[in-house]
Amino acid sequence: MGSLESAKKTAAYKAVDEYVKNNTVIGIGSGSTIIYAVHRLVERMKEENLNVVCVPTSFQARQLILNNHLTLGDLETHPKLDCAIDGADEVDSDMNLIKGGGGCLLQEKIVASCADEFVIIADYTKSSQQLGEKYKKGIPIEVIPMAYVAIQKRIKGNYGGNIQVRMALAKAGPVITDNGNFILDWHFPQGLTNWNKINIEISMIPGVVETGLFIKMAKKVFFGMPDGSIKEQS
Ligand code: MLT
């Protein structure tokens, strides 16, 4: 296993060991790092016979839960979660996150907002001082398809930068999210810092369903480091 994968695994194992307790409801995030968290959860289930309900944040997360024979829950039956564990594309020093590189930001944010504790697991390449330093694919914004051009114009006009519809790799056309929407990736200009205000303003544009800006939602971030250690941020 390369150092990046090993860093993801270290962070994921630490978060599951520290935050998953018996008789709890846990949000299962999406992306590449959460796979290791599910592996650790399965190990602990076998070792400790835990009673844990898992609420997915995407089709991928649901498949991970089902394929690993974990207990599947949802927000209808479990609207309050003890903890949600998820990856991130970038985490700045103020606990602002960019999420949605994997296209699952809407359900990830909903599930995180229902959890008492929201914990991020990531490798060392995701840690930055200011957003945009590390993740170069832009801030993902989930939008209603009929509004995508109007939203592109509004965001570009208000803040500048470039904003593109995310295109599918194995299909001629846009990525369609688990919720039937498009994703815009906004390559914002340098110098923007007031992410809370920007997030609120963008969220208010009609047709915007959700942004990949997670502002101070996470309680703790575990970064797996190249030397095998863990850096904690809160
Ligand atoms: C995302 O926010 O898109 C993912 O959770 C990041 C990841 O791959 O861990």
Side-chain angles (χ1 to χ4, degrees):
M1 185 182 285
S3 86
L4 213 56
E5 289 307 308
S6 163
K8 290 176 194 230
K9 183 176 172 183
T10 312
Y13 273 47
K14 172 83 172 165
V16 170
D17 287 349
E18 207 161 292
Y19 279 88
V20 177
K21 310 255 185 319
N22 196 18
N23 297 318
T24 55
V25 183
I26 304 293
I28 301 294
S30 312
S32 52
T33 316
I34 198 67
I35 295 167
Y36 295 109
V38 170
H39 289 169
R40 181 59 186 147
L41 200 49
V42 170
E43 283 178 5
R44 285 196 58 200
M45 290 300 197
K46 285 187 188 143
E47 287 161 11
E48 303 168 48
N49 199 22
L50 298 177
N51 169 31
V52 172
V53 175
C54 297
V55 176
T57 56
S58 61
F59 178 86
Q60 179 215 11
R62 190 171 185 277
Q63 294 283 298
L64 278 171
I65 294 165
L66 291 174
N67 292 343
N68 286 287
H69 310 290
L70 298 170
T71 306
L72 179 68
D74 59 36
L75 290 182
E76 269 179 286
T77 49
H78 297 90
K80 186 179 166 318
L81 284 69
D82 296 284
C83 179
I85 301 177
D86 205 341
D89 300 303
E90 185 169 342
V91 181
D92 79 7
S93 54
D94 285 333
M95 297 296 277
N96 299 317
L97 320 177
I98 296 177
K99 283 184 56 53
C104 307
L105 60 140
L106 173 59
Q107 292 186 38
E108 288 174 345
K109 200 181 270 189
I110 294 170
V111 170
S113 76
C114 296
D116 287 344
E117 298 179 305
F118 179 39
V119 177
I120 293 294
I121 50 179
D123 65 74
Y124 53 92
T125 64
K126 312 284 180 70
S127 170
S128 76
Q129 284 304 306
Q130 287 191 13
L131 292 188
E133 231 174 68
K134 294 287 175 68
Y135 186 65
K136 299 296 179 192
K137 295 182 182 169
I139 294 174
I141 301 169
E142 182 157 347
V143 303
I144 297 291
M146 59 92 76
Y148 85 94
V149 173
I151 294 168
Q152 279 176 310
K153 283 185 184 299
R154 286 276 285 276
I155 293 176
K156 204 169 168 184
N158 288 351
Y159 309 101
N162 278 305
I163 183 158
Q164 286 129 10
V165 181
R166 190 180 298 179
M167 300 304 279
L169 291 178
K171 169 204 168 204
V175 166
I176 306 295
T177 68
D178 288 350
N179 321 293
N181 298 317
F182 288 180
I183 292 192
L184 302 178
D185 289 303
W186 176 36
H187 296 262
F188 55 90
Q190 281 192 341
L192 298 183
T193 51
N194 196 346
W195 292 115
N196 189 40
K197 180 168 176 283
I198 292 167
N199 184 44
I200 292 168
E201 286 171 1
I202 293 178
S203 302
M204 295 290 287
I205 299 172
V208 170
V209 180
E210 194 50 85
T211 80
L213 287 166
F214 286 51
I215 308 298
K216 295 188 184 1
M217 290 178 73
K219 173 192 171 138
K220 180 70 116 7
V221 184
F222 292 107
F223 292 109
M225 303 306 284
D227 64 0
S229 66
I230 290 174
K231 184 176 93 176
E232 296 186 20
Q233 187 179 317
S234 53

